[in-house]
Amino acid sequence: DAGVIQSPRHEVTEMGQEVTLRCKPISGHDYLFWYRQTMMRGLELLIYFNNNVPIDDSGMPEDRFSAKMPNASFSTLKIQPSEPRDSAVYFCASGEGYEQYFGPGTRLTVT
Amino acid sequence: AQTVTQSQPEMSVQEAETVTLSCTYDTSESDYYLFWYKQPPSRQMILVIRQEAYKQQNATENRFSVNFQKAAKSFSLKISDSQLGDAAMYFCAYRISGNTPLVFGKGTRLSVIA
């Protein structure tokens, strides 16, 4: 298995632009998590899904952030409009049982 | 709310020596899991070791072992025979049973000196 796939690996955009981050979980995993890593706040959960249904989105910072999981093999995290404070590394992780497997992350820079 | 505290922002160790990274957590749950993740400069999150709270025996994975003190809510990581490739950020993490979100500590940056 190729593991969790995230795209793009790097994204640089200007303030006010829409940004879409993508994630392909490991086949067969029924949980998918979006985490954000910043120097100030560390690693924190944004949202997670079980069987494509959002379970907890309390970590989504504000209405500018939205996440979808239209099917078991694909999820998106969208930021519209983006702001410089959204600059961070965004991780997607999928899991079953004990483990969560992380993707390589997307480094987002908003100028 | 559950919290995870790593009190050592940075640590260093001589190659081939042993180092211990500290982690404490706060929870009212009785059934939970604890993890140590390694994040090298590539930023990939790599699971190092896992401990189930119901198990009294400390987990071990090759050169990595933990000291799990449930009553004290302490979960330290010992790295033996440190290697240059061990240099990374190390994150302690917690979650309750089931595949629930991880709660992370702020991390400890480990340097290995040749």
Side-chain angles (χ1 to χ4, degrees), chain B residues 70-88:
Chain B
K70 191 172 184 179
K73 296 180 181 175
S74 171
F75 182 61
S76 61
L77 175 70
K78 185 171 80 171
I79 306 174
S80 304
D81 185 24
S82 297
Q83 301 175 0
L84 294 177
D86 295 334

Side-chain angles (χ1 to χ4, degrees), chain A residues 9 35 37 98-100, chain B residues 43 47 50 95 100 102:
Chain A
R9 294 292 307 276
Y35 295 93
Q37 184 177 28
Y98 297 120
E99 309 287 347
Q100 290 184 21
Chain B
R43 78 169 178 253
L47 178 64
R50 178 187 74 236
R95 69 167 175 81
T100 52
L102 292 162

Side-chain angles (χ1 to χ4, degrees), chain A residues 12-111:
Chain A
V12 180
T13 190
E14 292 183 349
M15 182 174 62
Q17 297 298 306
E18 177 179 298
V19 176
T20 299
L21 311 182
R22 297 172 175 80
C23 176
K24 177 178 169 53
I26 294 172
S27 177
H29 285 187
D30 50 6
Y31 284 85
L32 185 138
F33 305 83
W34 283 100
Y35 295 93
R36 180 171 69 174
Q37 184 177 28
T38 61
M39 289 294 292
M40 291 296 294
R41 299 175 65 89
L43 277 152
E44 54 184 351
L45 176 78
L46 296 176
I47 186 171
Y48 81 102
F49 296 83
N50 178 218
N51 291 321
N52 314 335
V53 177
I55 304 301
D56 182 357
D57 65 355
S58 59
M60 297 284 265
E62 48 198 274
D63 291 346
R64 298 184 299 107
F65 284 68
S66 63
K68 294 181 179 180
M69 192 164 187
N71 56 62
S73 59
F74 185 64
S75 177
T76 60
L77 178 67
K78 186 175 293 187
I79 308 172
Q80 166 63 19
S82 58
E83 296 182 2
R85 59 189 167 130
D86 302 331
S87 297
V89 178
Y90 291 81
F91 286 100
C92 174
S94 71
E96 61 170 0
Y98 297 120
E99 309 287 347
Q100 290 184 21
Y101 298 84
F102 282 76
T106 295
R107 179 176 292 280
L108 173 65
T109 302
V110 184
T111 61

Side-chain angles (χ1 to χ4, degrees), chain B residues 84-98:
Chain B
L84 294 177
D86 295 334
M89 284 289 290
Y90 286 82
F91 292 95
C92 180
Y94 157 100
R95 69 167 175 81
I96 60 175
S97 63

Side-chain angles (χ1 to χ4, degrees), chain B residues 39-81:
Chain B
Q39 187 179 41
S42 67
R43 78 169 178 253
Q44 180 70 50
M45 295 292 288
I46 302 166
L47 178 64
V48 174
I49 200 164
R50 178 187 74 236
Q51 175 79 43
E52 293 89 342
Y54 64 86
K55 290 187 177 179
Q56 293 185 345
Q57 186 173 6
N58 289 324
T60 299
E61 289 287 343
N62 300 313
R63 298 183 296 107
F64 298 87
S65 61
V66 299
N67 184 3
F68 173 48
Q69 301 289 327
K70 191 172 184 179
K73 296 180 181 175
S74 171
F75 182 61
S76 61
L77 175 70
K78 185 171 80 171
I79 306 174
S80 304
D81 185 24

